[in-house]
Amino acid sequence: MYDPKTGGCRDGLHSDRLNENQGAESTLAFLQALLELSQAKSLKGLMSTNNMNHKPSQLFHRHKLNPILKATNWPYQVNSVFNPGATLLADGTTLLLCRVEDRRGLSHLCAARSVNGVDDWQIDSEPTLMADPKRFPEELWGIEDPRITYIPELGQYAIVYTAFSREGPGVALAFTKDFHHFERYGEIMQPADKDAALLPRKIDGRWALIHRPSGATSAHMWISYSSNLYHWGGHRQILEARLGGWWDANKIGLSPPPIETSQGWLVIYHGVRQNAAGSIYRLGLALFDLDAPERCIKRGDEWVFGPEEPYEQHGDVDNVVFPCGYTLGADGDTINLYYGAADTSIAMATGSVREMLRWLKDHS
Ligand code: BMA
Protein backbone atom coordinates (compact mmCIF):
# COMPACT_ATOMS: atom_id res chain seq x y z
CA MET A 1 0.00 0.00 0.00
CA TYR A 2 1.19 3.51 -0.73
CA ASP A 3 2.13 5.44 2.38
CA PRO A 4 1.33 9.13 1.77
CA LYS A 5 3.45 10.16 4.77
CA THR A 6 6.70 8.59 3.68
CA GLY A 7 6.07 8.22 -0.04
CA GLY A 8 7.15 4.59 0.31
CA CYS A 9 5.06 1.41 0.09
CA ARG A 10 3.94 -0.82 2.88
CA ASP A 11 2.96 -4.46 2.65
CA GLY A 12 0.42 -4.04 5.42
CA LEU A 13 2.08 -6.51 7.73
CA HIS A 14 3.77 -3.94 9.90
CA SER A 15 2.39 -0.46 10.43
CA ASP A 16 5.79 1.00 11.32
CA ARG A 17 7.98 -0.47 8.61
CA LEU A 18 8.10 -0.42 4.84
CA ASN A 19 8.09 -3.52 2.58
CA GLU A 20 9.17 -6.47 4.56
CA ASN A 21 7.85 -9.19 2.30
CA GLN A 22 9.81 -10.36 -0.64
CA GLY A 23 8.46 -11.88 -3.84
CA ALA A 24 4.93 -11.75 -5.25
CA GLU A 25 3.28 -10.01 -2.31
CA SER A 26 5.89 -7.31 -2.36
CA THR A 27 5.52 -6.83 -6.12
CA LEU A 28 1.75 -6.51 -5.72
CA ALA A 29 2.19 -3.99 -2.93
CA PHE A 30 4.59 -2.03 -5.15
CA LEU A 31 2.18 -2.00 -8.12
CA GLN A 32 -0.73 -1.00 -5.89
CA ALA A 33 1.39 1.83 -4.51
CA LEU A 34 2.32 2.93 -8.02
CA LEU A 35 -1.37 3.05 -9.02
CA GLU A 36 -2.31 5.07 -5.95
CA LEU A 37 0.59 7.42 -6.50
CA SER A 38 -0.41 8.16 -10.09
CA GLN A 39 -4.04 8.74 -9.02
CA ALA A 40 -2.88 11.07 -6.26
CA LYS A 41 -0.76 13.01 -8.77
CA SER A 42 -3.56 13.47 -11.32
CA LEU A 43 -5.89 14.55 -8.54
CA LYS A 44 -3.31 17.12 -7.47
CA GLY A 45 -3.08 18.36 -11.07
CA LEU A 46 -6.83 18.72 -11.25
CA MET A 47 -6.92 20.59 -7.99
CA SER A 48 -4.30 23.04 -9.12
CA THR A 49 -6.15 24.01 -12.32
CA ASN A 50 -9.34 24.56 -10.32
CA ASN A 51 -7.47 26.13 -7.49
CA MET A 52 -9.43 28.91 -5.81
CA ASN A 53 -6.29 31.06 -5.79
CA HIS A 54 -5.76 30.62 -9.52
CA LYS A 55 -4.69 33.93 -11.08
CA PRO A 56 -5.63 34.49 -14.74
CA SER A 57 -2.65 34.98 -17.03
CA GLN A 58 -1.79 38.66 -17.37
CA LEU A 59 -1.67 40.37 -20.76
CA PHE A 60 -0.21 43.56 -19.28
CA HIS A 61 2.66 43.93 -16.85
CA ARG A 62 2.87 47.02 -14.68
CA HIS A 63 6.19 48.83 -14.51
CA LYS A 64 7.88 48.54 -11.15
CA LEU A 65 8.42 52.32 -11.00
CA ASN A 66 4.66 53.00 -11.22
CA PRO A 67 3.25 55.54 -10.97
CA ILE A 68 5.86 56.99 -13.31
CA LEU A 69 4.55 60.58 -13.21
CA LYS A 70 2.79 62.44 -10.41
CA ALA A 71 1.60 65.98 -9.68
CA THR A 72 4.66 66.49 -7.45
CA ASN A 73 6.93 66.01 -10.51
CA TRP A 74 5.38 69.05 -12.22
CA PRO A 75 7.42 72.23 -12.58
CA TYR A 76 4.34 74.29 -11.59
CA GLN A 77 1.57 73.74 -9.09
CA VAL A 78 -1.15 71.34 -10.23
CA ASN A 79 -3.75 69.06 -8.67
CA SER A 80 -3.27 65.90 -10.72
CA VAL A 81 -1.73 64.48 -13.93
CA PHE A 82 -3.39 61.61 -15.78
CA ASN A 83 -4.82 60.15 -19.03
CA PRO A 84 -1.84 60.93 -21.31
CA GLY A 85 -1.73 60.62 -25.07
CA ALA A 86 1.57 59.08 -26.22
CA THR A 87 3.80 58.91 -29.26
CA LEU A 88 7.39 58.26 -30.32
CA LEU A 89 9.12 61.29 -31.82
CA ALA A 90 11.38 60.92 -34.87
CA ASP A 91 14.49 60.56 -32.67
CA GLY A 92 12.89 57.78 -30.61
CA THR A 93 12.02 59.98 -27.62
CA THR A 94 8.75 59.09 -25.92
CA LEU A 95 6.40 62.06 -25.70
CA LEU A 96 3.44 62.00 -23.36
CA LEU A 97 0.83 64.70 -23.73
CA CYS A 98 -0.56 64.63 -20.22
CA ARG A 99 -3.91 65.83 -19.00
CA VAL A 100 -3.10 68.20 -16.15
CA GLU A 101 -5.83 69.35 -13.81
CA ASP A 102 -5.08 72.66 -12.14
CA ARG A 103 -6.23 73.73 -8.72
CA ARG A 104 -9.37 75.32 -10.15
CA GLY A 105 -10.42 71.86 -11.38
CA LEU A 106 -9.90 72.72 -15.08
CA SER A 107 -7.61 70.69 -17.34
CA HIS A 108 -4.97 71.60 -19.92
CA LEU A 109 -2.35 69.50 -21.76
CA CYS A 110 1.35 69.40 -20.97
CA ALA A 111 4.15 67.52 -22.75
CA ALA A 112 6.66 65.30 -20.93
CA ARG A 113 9.57 63.75 -22.84
CA SER A 114 11.78 60.80 -21.88
CA VAL A 115 14.49 58.88 -23.71
CA ASN A 116 13.50 55.50 -22.23
CA GLY A 117 9.78 56.19 -21.79
CA VAL A 118 9.94 55.38 -18.08
CA ASP A 119 11.91 57.95 -16.12
CA ASP A 120 13.98 61.12 -16.35
CA TRP A 121 11.02 63.02 -17.83
CA GLN A 122 11.62 66.52 -19.16
CA ILE A 123 8.35 68.31 -18.52
CA ASP A 124 7.43 71.56 -20.30
CA SER A 125 7.87 74.40 -17.81
CA GLU A 126 4.39 75.74 -18.60
CA PRO A 127 1.19 74.35 -20.15
CA THR A 128 1.82 73.08 -23.71
CA LEU A 129 -1.76 73.43 -24.95
CA MET A 130 -4.24 75.53 -22.98
CA ALA A 131 -7.97 75.85 -23.46
CA ASP A 132 -8.75 78.90 -25.59
CA PRO A 133 -12.40 79.63 -24.80
CA LYS A 134 -12.33 83.06 -26.49
CA ARG A 135 -11.75 81.50 -29.89
CA PHE A 136 -13.20 78.09 -29.02
CA PRO A 137 -16.10 78.49 -26.56
CA GLU A 138 -16.44 74.71 -26.39
CA GLU A 139 -13.21 74.75 -24.31
CA LEU A 140 -14.69 76.91 -21.52
CA TRP A 141 -14.05 74.32 -18.80
CA GLY A 142 -10.80 72.95 -20.16
CA ILE A 143 -9.38 70.34 -22.51
CA GLU A 144 -8.86 66.68 -21.60
CA ASP A 145 -7.80 63.16 -22.57
CA PRO A 146 -5.75 63.63 -25.80
CA ARG A 147 -5.20 60.80 -28.28
CA ILE A 148 -2.25 61.24 -30.66
CA THR A 149 -2.02 59.69 -34.13
CA TYR A 150 0.90 60.34 -36.45
CA ILE A 151 -0.46 60.88 -39.98
CA PRO A 152 2.30 60.04 -42.50
CA GLU A 153 0.36 61.57 -45.43
CA LEU A 154 0.28 64.96 -43.65
CA GLY A 155 3.66 64.65 -41.93
CA GLN A 156 1.95 65.78 -38.70
CA TYR A 157 0.57 64.47 -35.45
CA ALA A 158 -3.19 64.68 -35.05
CA ILE A 159 -4.33 65.34 -31.49
CA VAL A 160 -7.95 64.54 -30.80
CA TYR A 161 -9.07 65.72 -27.38
CA THR A 162 -12.12 66.44 -25.27
CA ALA A 163 -13.31 70.06 -25.17
CA PHE A 164 -15.44 70.63 -22.10
CA SER A 165 -18.10 73.34 -21.69
CA ARG A 166 -21.66 73.98 -20.51
CA GLU A 167 -22.94 71.80 -23.32
CA GLY A 168 -20.86 68.86 -22.05
CA PRO A 169 -17.83 67.15 -23.59
CA GLY A 170 -17.23 67.41 -27.34
CA VAL A 171 -14.47 66.17 -29.67
CA ALA A 172 -11.83 68.68 -30.83
CA LEU A 173 -8.94 68.29 -33.27
CA ALA A 174 -5.54 69.97 -33.55
CA PHE A 175 -2.40 69.24 -35.59
CA THR A 176 1.24 69.71 -34.70
CA LYS A 177 4.65 68.90 -36.13
CA ASP A 178 6.65 69.54 -32.97
CA PHE A 179 4.34 69.74 -29.94
CA HIS A 180 5.25 73.44 -29.64
CA HIS A 181 3.04 74.93 -32.37
CA PHE A 182 -0.52 73.75 -32.90
CA GLU A 183 -3.10 74.29 -35.61
CA ARG A 184 -6.59 73.99 -34.16
CA TYR A 185 -9.50 72.67 -36.20
CA GLY A 186 -12.02 73.30 -33.41
CA GLU A 187 -14.85 71.03 -32.39
CA ILE A 188 -15.46 68.27 -34.93
CA MET A 189 -18.12 66.31 -32.98
CA GLN A 190 -20.67 68.21 -30.91
CA PRO A 191 -21.55 67.32 -27.28
CA ALA A 192 -22.03 64.89 -25.80
CA ASP A 193 -19.12 63.03 -27.40
CA LYS A 194 -15.57 62.04 -26.35
CA ASP A 195 -13.01 59.17 -26.35
CA ALA A 196 -12.03 59.82 -29.96
CA ALA A 197 -9.00 59.12 -32.16
CA LEU A 198 -8.14 59.46 -35.83
CA LEU A 199 -6.96 56.45 -37.84
CA PRO A 200 -3.49 57.09 -39.32
CA ARG A 201 -4.54 56.74 -42.97
CA LYS A 202 -7.54 57.22 -45.20
CA ILE A 203 -9.96 54.33 -45.62
CA ASP A 204 -11.33 54.21 -49.12
CA GLY A 205 -10.31 57.84 -49.68
CA ARG A 206 -11.76 59.24 -46.43
CA TRP A 207 -10.33 59.97 -42.98
CA ALA A 208 -11.88 57.90 -40.21
CA LEU A 209 -12.58 58.93 -36.63
CA ILE A 210 -13.62 56.57 -33.84
CA HIS A 211 -15.58 58.37 -31.11
CA ARG A 212 -18.14 57.88 -28.38
CA PRO A 213 -21.35 59.90 -28.47
CA SER A 214 -23.49 59.35 -25.41
CA GLY A 215 -27.21 59.14 -24.88
CA ALA A 216 -29.20 59.50 -21.66
CA THR A 217 -28.55 55.99 -20.38
CA SER A 218 -25.94 54.42 -22.61
CA ALA A 219 -22.80 55.19 -24.62
CA HIS A 220 -21.48 53.11 -27.52
CA MET A 221 -18.54 53.40 -29.92
CA TRP A 222 -19.05 54.91 -33.38
CA ILE A 223 -17.03 55.65 -36.50
CA SER A 224 -17.43 58.64 -38.82
CA TYR A 225 -15.73 59.57 -42.09
CA SER A 226 -14.56 62.82 -43.67
CA SER A 227 -12.73 63.92 -46.78
CA ASN A 228 -11.50 67.25 -45.30
CA LEU A 229 -11.28 66.55 -41.53
CA TYR A 230 -13.87 69.33 -40.84
CA HIS A 231 -17.13 67.80 -42.03
CA TRP A 232 -17.98 64.32 -40.88
CA GLY A 233 -20.60 61.81 -42.02
CA GLY A 234 -21.18 58.12 -42.72
CA HIS A 235 -21.76 57.65 -38.98
CA ARG A 236 -21.95 54.00 -37.93
CA GLN A 237 -22.07 52.35 -34.56
CA ILE A 238 -19.18 49.89 -34.31
CA LEU A 239 -19.29 48.47 -30.78
CA GLU A 240 -22.21 48.40 -28.39
CA ALA A 241 -21.98 48.49 -24.60
CA ARG A 242 -23.36 45.29 -23.16
CA LEU A 243 -26.15 45.17 -20.61
CA GLY A 244 -26.86 43.94 -17.11
CA GLY A 245 -24.02 42.61 -15.03
CA TRP A 246 -21.31 42.72 -17.70
CA TRP A 247 -18.06 44.56 -16.91
CA ASP A 248 -18.69 46.72 -20.00
CA ALA A 249 -22.41 47.32 -19.49
CA ASN A 250 -24.06 50.58 -20.61
CA LYS A 251 -20.95 52.67 -21.21
CA ILE A 252 -17.85 51.93 -23.27
CA GLY A 253 -15.32 54.08 -25.14
CA LEU A 254 -12.12 53.90 -27.16
CA SER A 255 -9.01 54.04 -24.99
CA PRO A 256 -5.76 54.62 -26.99
CA PRO A 257 -5.88 54.96 -30.79
CA PRO A 258 -6.37 51.62 -32.59
CA ILE A 259 -3.25 49.51 -33.24
CA GLU A 260 -2.86 48.50 -36.89
CA THR A 261 -2.00 44.77 -37.21
CA SER A 262 -2.02 42.34 -40.12
CA GLN A 263 -5.22 40.82 -38.66
CA GLY A 264 -7.09 44.11 -38.27
CA TRP A 265 -7.34 47.21 -36.10
CA LEU A 266 -6.73 46.06 -32.56
CA VAL A 267 -8.76 48.21 -30.20
CA ILE A 268 -8.27 48.54 -26.46
CA TYR A 269 -11.50 49.96 -25.09
CA HIS A 270 -12.73 50.83 -21.62
CA GLY A 271 -15.89 49.58 -20.00
CA VAL A 272 -17.52 51.16 -16.99
CA ARG A 273 -19.16 48.92 -14.44
CA GLN A 274 -21.55 50.75 -12.10
CA ASN A 275 -22.16 49.22 -8.71
CA ALA A 276 -23.29 50.30 -5.26
CA ALA A 277 -19.77 51.57 -4.47
CA GLY A 278 -19.41 53.71 -7.63
CA SER A 279 -17.86 52.74 -10.95
CA ILE A 280 -14.92 50.60 -12.06
CA TYR A 281 -13.06 51.45 -15.28
CA ARG A 282 -11.52 48.36 -16.89
CA LEU A 283 -10.12 47.49 -20.34
CA GLY A 284 -11.17 44.98 -22.98
CA LEU A 285 -10.10 44.05 -26.51
CA ALA A 286 -11.81 44.02 -29.91
CA LEU A 287 -10.61 43.62 -33.48
CA PHE A 288 -11.96 45.50 -36.53
CA ASP A 289 -11.60 44.95 -40.26
CA LEU A 290 -8.59 46.78 -41.74
CA ASP A 291 -10.42 47.98 -44.85
CA ALA A 292 -13.87 48.41 -43.29
CA PRO A 293 -13.20 49.44 -39.68
CA GLU A 294 -16.90 49.64 -38.88
CA ARG A 295 -16.93 45.82 -39.02
CA CYS A 296 -16.08 44.17 -35.70
CA ILE A 297 -14.36 40.82 -36.27
CA LYS A 298 -13.78 39.77 -32.68
CA ARG A 299 -14.63 41.01 -29.21
CA GLY A 300 -13.27 39.53 -26.00
CA ASP A 301 -15.75 38.65 -23.29
CA GLU A 302 -13.56 39.23 -20.26
CA TRP A 303 -11.76 42.38 -19.29
CA VAL A 304 -7.96 42.22 -19.59
CA PHE A 305 -6.78 45.00 -17.27
CA GLY A 306 -8.38 46.67 -14.28
CA PRO A 307 -7.57 48.60 -11.13
CA GLU A 308 -5.59 46.37 -8.75
CA GLU A 309 -2.80 48.45 -7.31
CA PRO A 310 -3.38 51.07 -4.58
CA TYR A 311 -2.50 53.93 -6.97
CA GLU A 312 -5.24 52.68 -9.34
CA GLN A 313 -7.82 51.98 -6.64
CA HIS A 314 -7.48 55.21 -4.66
CA GLY A 315 -7.18 58.77 -5.88
CA ASP A 316 -9.39 61.66 -6.95
CA VAL A 317 -11.61 59.07 -8.67
CA ASP A 318 -11.19 55.58 -7.25
CA ASN A 319 -10.92 52.44 -9.38
CA VAL A 320 -9.88 53.89 -12.72
CA VAL A 321 -7.30 52.76 -15.27
CA PHE A 322 -7.63 55.01 -18.32
CA PRO A 323 -5.04 54.78 -21.13
CA CYS A 324 -5.08 57.36 -23.92
CA GLY A 325 -1.84 56.30 -25.61
CA TYR A 326 0.78 53.67 -26.27
CA THR A 327 4.15 53.41 -27.96
CA LEU A 328 5.29 50.42 -30.00
CA GLY A 329 8.74 48.91 -29.43
CA ALA A 330 11.36 48.43 -32.18
CA ASP A 331 10.30 44.73 -32.39
CA GLY A 332 6.89 45.91 -33.67
CA ASP A 333 5.23 43.83 -30.93
CA THR A 334 5.91 45.25 -27.48
CA ILE A 335 3.54 47.99 -26.49
CA ASN A 336 4.01 50.43 -23.65
CA LEU A 337 0.55 51.41 -22.51
CA TYR A 338 0.36 54.74 -20.70
CA TYR A 339 -2.64 55.23 -18.48
CA GLY A 340 -4.16 57.52 -15.93
CA ALA A 341 -4.48 55.87 -12.52
CA ALA A 342 -7.45 56.93 -10.37
CA ASP A 343 -7.51 60.33 -12.17
CA THR A 344 -4.43 61.22 -10.10
CA SER A 345 -1.18 59.94 -11.61
CA ILE A 346 0.31 58.32 -14.72
CA ALA A 347 1.38 54.68 -14.88
CA MET A 348 2.73 52.34 -17.55
CA ALA A 349 2.19 48.68 -18.39
CA THR A 350 3.78 46.60 -21.15
CA GLY A 351 2.07 44.05 -23.33
CA SER A 352 2.51 42.15 -26.59
CA VAL A 353 0.37 42.76 -29.67
CA ARG A 354 0.84 39.12 -30.70
CA GLU A 355 -0.37 37.91 -27.31
CA MET A 356 -3.38 40.19 -27.38
CA LEU A 357 -4.36 38.84 -30.80
CA ARG A 358 -3.87 35.27 -29.59
CA TRP A 359 -5.96 36.01 -26.51
CA LEU A 360 -8.76 37.44 -28.66
CA LYS A 361 -8.75 34.29 -30.78
CA ASP A 362 -9.27 32.16 -27.66
CA HIS A 363 -11.69 34.43 -25.82
CA SER A 364 -14.21 35.71 -28.35
C1 BMA B 1 -14.29 59.44 -17.99
C2 BMA B 1 -13.38 60.51 -18.54
C3 BMA B 1 -11.97 60.36 -18.04
C4 BMA B 1 -11.89 60.01 -16.58
C5 BMA B 1 -12.88 58.92 -16.22
C6 BMA B 1 -12.91 58.60 -14.74
O1 BMA B 1 -15.63 59.73 -18.30
O2 BMA B 1 -13.87 61.76 -18.18
O3 BMA B 1 -11.30 61.57 -18.25
O4 BMA B 1 -10.59 59.54 -16.30
O5 BMA B 1 -14.18 59.33 -16.61
O6 BMA B 1 -13.22 59.72 -13.97
Side-chain angles (χ1 to χ4, degrees), residues 83 99 145 194 281 317 320 322 343:
N83 301 4
R99 171 175 173 188
D145 302 354
K194 53 161 63 171
Y281 278 74
V317 183
V320 180
F322 202 94
D343 282 15

Side-chain angles (χ1 to χ4, degrees), residues 2-287:
Y2 171 63
D3 181 349
K5 272 198 218 112
T6 62
C9 38
R10 197 179 289 294
D11 59 12
L13 290 178
H14 301 280
S15 60
D16 56 344
R17 269 177 276 149
L18 299 185
N19 272 354
E20 190 178 81
N21 268 5
Q22 303 292 317
E25 268 178 28
S26 174
T27 309
L28 276 176
F30 170 72
L31 289 174
Q32 170 85 19
L34 207 62
L35 184 67
E36 288 191 30
L37 187 61
S38 72
Q39 281 171 347
K41 271 188 183 156
S42 57
L43 191 63
K44 202 169 153 208
L46 249 181
M47 282 168 73
S48 74
T49 46
N50 290 331
N51 194 322
M52 300 288 278
N53 293 323
H54 175 68
K55 267 198 138 190
S57 61
Q58 297 279 331
L59 276 181
F60 293 101
H61 306 279
R62 291 170 174 82
H63 200 280
K64 59 180 189 300
L65 294 180
N66 276 352
I68 55 168
L69 279 168
K70 293 186 280 209
T72 47
N73 300 125
W74 242 248
Y76 51 96
Q77 209 172 46
V78 303
N79 172 58
S80 49
V81 296
F82 53 115
N83 301 4
T87 194
L88 283 181
L89 301 177
D91 65 358
T93 302
T94 297
L95 179 139
L96 298 186
L97 194 58
C98 310
R99 171 175 173 188
V100 176
E101 192 181 289
D102 65 25
R103 288 164 62 111
R104 297 173 302 168
L106 309 189
S107 293
H108 61 265
L109 309 182
C110 186
R113 296 168 174 82
S114 158
V115 172
N116 64 9
V118 175
D119 57 11
D120 200 17
W121 293 96
Q122 306 301 310
I123 302 169
D124 280 1
S125 56
E126 48 191 53
T128 309
L129 190 63
M130 274 300 269
D132 184 0
K134 282 208 176 93
R135 285 173 61 216
F136 301 96
E138 65 275 8
E139 299 182 359
L140 180 68
W141 292 336
I143 55 177
E144 308 175 349
D145 302 354
R147 273 79 169 186
I148 303 170
T149 306
Y150 183 69
I151 313 284
E153 186 181 327
L154 304 176
Q156 301 207 61
Y157 300 90
I159 304 164
V160 178
Y161 57 94
T162 302
F164 189 29
S165 73
R166 284 193 185 91
E167 271 51 68
V171 176
L173 171 67
F175 279 92
T176 187
K177 282 193 169 130
D178 54 11
F179 291 90
H180 295 295
H181 307 94
F182 299 87
E183 188 192 349
R184 281 164 131 109
Y185 278 51
E187 193 163 52
I188 54 170
M189 289 289 163
Q190 78 268 36
D193 206 330
K194 53 161 63 171
D195 298 329
L198 209 56
L199 295 190
R201 57 180 173 80
K202 287 179 183 153
I203 306 288
D204 223 359
R206 293 178 306 169
W207 300 106
L209 181 86
I210 296 182
H211 57 115
R212 205 286 304 277
S214 38
T217 55
S218 56
H220 314 292
M221 284 167 59
W222 288 66
I223 197 164
S224 301
Y225 296 95
S226 170
S227 46
N228 61 9
L229 293 162
Y230 281 103
H231 305 114
W232 294 84
H235 314 296
R236 294 278 294 273
Q237 191 180 100
I238 60 169
L239 201 69
E240 201 175 352
R242 287 184 263 220
L243 294 168
W246 280 89
W247 70 272
D248 55 354
N250 306 319
K251 191 170 159 187
I252 59 170
L254 180 72
S255 277
I259 304 164
E260 188 166 8
T261 77
S262 57
Q263 296 179 32
W265 298 100
L266 177 60
V267 162
I268 302 175
Y269 72 97
H270 58 266
V272 189
R273 169 75 194 267
Q274 301 285 348
N275 62 22
S279 37
I280 310 175
Y281 278 74
R282 299 192 186 101
L283 307 178
L285 300 179
L287 190 68

Side-chain angles (χ1 to χ4, degrees), residues 78 82 96 103 132 162 224 288 294 304 314 334 338 352 363:
V78 303
F82 53 115
L96 298 186
R103 288 164 62 111
D132 184 0
T162 302
S224 301
F288 295 85
E294 64 270 6
V304 293
H314 306 292
T334 307
Y338 293 94
S352 150
H363 290 81

